[in-house]
Amino acid sequence: MRNISQRIGRSASGELVKDPTRLVETYPKVPLTVDCVLFGFEENVLKVLLIRSDLQVFDGLWSLLGDNVLDNEELDDAANRILKERTGMSDIYLEQVRSFSHPARHPGGRVITVAYCSLINIQHHQLKILDHELHWHDVQSLTQMAFDHFEILTYCNQWLQKRIQEHPLGFNLLPEKFSMRELQNLYEAILNQQLDRRNFRKKFASMGLLIDVNEIENDVPHRPGKLYKFNFEKYEKNKRNWIGIDF
Amino acid sequence: MRNISQRIGRSASGELVKDPTRLVETYPKVPLTVDCVLFGFEENVLKVLLIRSDLQVFDGLWSLLGDNVLDNEELDDAANRILKERTGMSDIYLEQVRSFSHPARHPGGRVITVAYCSLINIQHHQLKILDHELHWHDVQSLTQMAFDHFEILTYCNQWLQKRIQEHPLGFNLLPEKFSMRELQNLYEAILNQQLDRRNFRKKFASMGLLIDVNEIENDVPHRPGKLYKFNFEKYEKNKRNWIGIDF
DNA sequence: TTTAATATGTGTAAAAAATACACATCAATG
DNA sequence: CATTGATGTGTATTTTTTACACATATTAAA
């Protein structure tokens, strides 16, 4: 093991490094991938888009949609590329969640991966299905996956549960015009928890971020609900920076 | 550019991969570092531990404490190693925040870094000062740093502001026994905001997580305050999983 | 056309939490 | 012993959260 001075890139004599390129060439290199946790919402159930693992050791198991990071490609770009390749969609909510680096997480050797979360309206996209290996899975029914992907999925699911309570991500999973019931179903699916209908509506009403479009549902076998749009402009203007110690 | 099937590691014929090691060998490799944002607290000011950059292009600028990730080293381990090397401390709060991957973020070429945050009690450790290049900096007074480290610091600072309101991190920055004033000073320094004294105390009192140790300050030039310990055991038992849509 | 089924739309009372705000007390200093 | 400077405490007000029930609109079936 080199000593500290060398490892942090400082010469022992204390003089400045003039050629950073040569310095970087001395760094160990690691295979790096991005794994996308693509969440969707269908039939009031939270889904995740998975592919059957192509590794024999994981025969029959499902895995997240991942790929190598290309040379000089930003991680965000890699994630967007995967999303585009699989769903045909761009300009979609997509966010880095965290890295996973256990040395034995990949059976082929050391591979570090960065997990990204995305929320996709299942209706709005055409899956780029190369074969029958791509599938929307119920999140709740999964128990085992290839690699450490179940751990990653679990982490991202919890991350999403927290995130959706503080940011209006959910609207990406809904049609542009949606009913209160659809919105509540979405929150209940993601939070995996029943919510009080009146208080839920009251909460969103008090935020003043829903626009009543003066239309009603037309394909339901019961009294139709009113339709709303989310007021993204108003939200962006008034983003709060909250103070509230709470643990 | 290879086609999708190849890039995701699947053979064109659709058969399973039997040798994952050979597969991984085909992945591009990237130099990977960890940068630690070591926050401290002294004289009621939030500080960050920085080192003077050793690159000539950044002459005079300060940078975070970073290092390469070693072969088969977990990212968490790399961060802990850096922390240990610099401060002599282990078993310290340390958490991954996010990765930064702009292709031009390092003048020596493509280097991806993973940022970690740590909170250190400045009194409790001995800086491993090799020379005079290591320094506790006021966070508020920084405007420019080497690499993208100012961006990383800003991100971590915001991350910390949010985190400390939901998790009891702050106690790592205080002595084991502390006064309410010290606790409030800490929150005010991190949140960069004045807080109402009575409401602050009421808030912490209502959480029931502070243990009155029946001692008082003895080195202050005014009426001494009572000292408290944080009840970590009780906190661990009662960790809340909160529901509260709010944006 | 009537009835049953089902989901929508709405309000209020009670409890809990957040906020604003003032004065007596204690210890040290001169 | 008076001054200085911080501690310790309570209450009234407002806001937010929670629990909870009934009339209404539409479809589908009788």
Side-chain angles (χ1 to χ4, degrees), chain B residues 41-88:
Chain B
F41 179 63
E42 201 172 40
E43 292 158 359
N44 296 338
V45 172
L46 184 66
K47 309 246 181 175
V48 61
L49 189 57
L50 302 179
I51 191 169
R52 215 176 269 281
S53 176
D54 58 316
L55 296 194
Q56 195 168 61
V57 283
F58 294 135
D59 192 16
L61 294 180
W62 296 90
S63 68
L64 298 170
L65 299 176
D67 198 357
N68 316 124
V69 178
L70 304 178
D71 290 335
N72 283 310
E73 184 181 44
E74 274 216 67
L75 292 170
D76 284 5
D77 293 337
N80 275 299
R81 174 169 53 78
I82 293 169
L83 179 62
K84 181 75 184 291
E85 285 171 0
R86 296 319 189 152
T87 69

Side-chain angles (χ1 to χ4, degrees), chain B:
Chain B
M1 199 195 226
R2 292 166 293 160
N3 70 35
I4 291 178
S5 296
Q6 285 172 323
R7 260 188 286 109
I8 63 174
R10 199 171 351 160
S11 63
S13 59
E15 73 221 16
L16 294 178
V17 172
K18 296 198 178 81
D19 186 350
T21 305
R22 272 191 51 207
L23 176 67
V24 169
E25 278 165 3
T26 67
Y27 291 0
K29 294 184 175 186
V30 187
L32 190 63
T33 61
V34 161
D35 281 303
C36 285
V37 183
L38 305 183
F39 285 111
F41 179 63
E42 201 172 40
E43 292 158 359
N44 296 338
V45 172
L46 184 66
K47 309 246 181 175
V48 61
L49 189 57
L50 302 179
I51 191 169
R52 215 176 269 281
S53 176
D54 58 316
L55 296 194
Q56 195 168 61
V57 283
F58 294 135
D59 192 16
L61 294 180
W62 296 90
S63 68
L64 298 170
L65 299 176
D67 198 357
N68 316 124
V69 178
L70 304 178
D71 290 335
N72 283 310
E73 184 181 44
E74 274 216 67
L75 292 170
D76 284 5
D77 293 337
N80 275 299
R81 174 169 53 78
I82 293 169
L83 179 62
K84 181 75 184 291
E85 285 171 0
R86 296 319 189 152
T87 69
M89 298 176 87
S90 42
D91 299 319
I92 288 293
Y93 175 82
L94 184 70
E95 203 166 342
Q96 188 189 124
V97 177
R98 63 161 290 183
S99 305
F100 293 83
S101 63
H102 193 287
R105 60 172 295 280
H106 195 299
R110 212 298 163 87
V111 179
I112 288 179
T113 196
V114 184
Y116 275 76
C117 254
S118 182
L119 306 185
I120 299 173
N121 184 316
I122 295 186
Q123 333 303 340
H124 281 195
H125 74 97
Q126 285 300 320
L127 282 187
K128 295 294 188 296
I129 300 178
L130 304 166
D131 40 41
H132 293 291
E133 309 275 9
L134 208 54
H135 184 246
W136 284 104
H137 247 278
D138 284 14
V139 171
Q140 297 301 331
S141 68
L142 282 161
T143 56
Q144 208 191 353
M145 293 174 70
F147 306 99
D148 54 356
H149 286 188
F150 185 67
E151 181 194 349
I152 295 175
L153 173 61
T154 302
Y155 190 93
C156 285
N157 194 12
Q158 288 170 5
W159 178 90
L160 175 63
Q161 290 185 337
K162 184 152 170 45
R163 192 84 185 162
I164 202 174
Q165 294 182 63
E166 299 172 5
H167 300 270
L169 318 181
F171 303 98
N172 293 301
L173 296 185
L174 295 173
E176 196 200 345
K177 301 171 183 178
F178 52 85
S179 69
M180 275 298 198
R181 164 56 47 194
E182 290 176 291
L183 185 60
Q184 184 174 344
N185 283 342
L186 173 63
Y187 272 83
E188 289 182 338
I190 293 178
L191 298 177
N192 195 27
Q193 177 162 150
Q194 299 264 111
L195 301 173
D196 180 89
R197 191 164 59 94
R198 272 173 296 185
N199 292 337
F200 182 85
R201 296 161 92 93
K202 201 190 305 177
K203 181 70 196 174
F204 272 92
S206 75
M207 286 193 280
L209 293 171
L210 297 185
I211 301 170
D212 184 341
V213 295
N214 287 313
E215 294 177 48
I216 57 171
E217 298 174 291
N218 61 8
D219 49 358
V220 288
H222 55 73
R223 174 176 176 179
K226 299 170 79 170
L227 296 180
Y228 298 88
K229 283 197 300 190
F230 185 73
N231 194 338
F232 283 99
E233 297 85 43
K234 184 171 176 188
Y235 168 72
E236 288 298 331
K237 272 186 200 146
N238 307 338
K239 265 182 191 167
R240 59 186 300 203
N241 44 347
W242 55 275
I243 292 283
I245 297 159
D246 229 350
F247 49 83

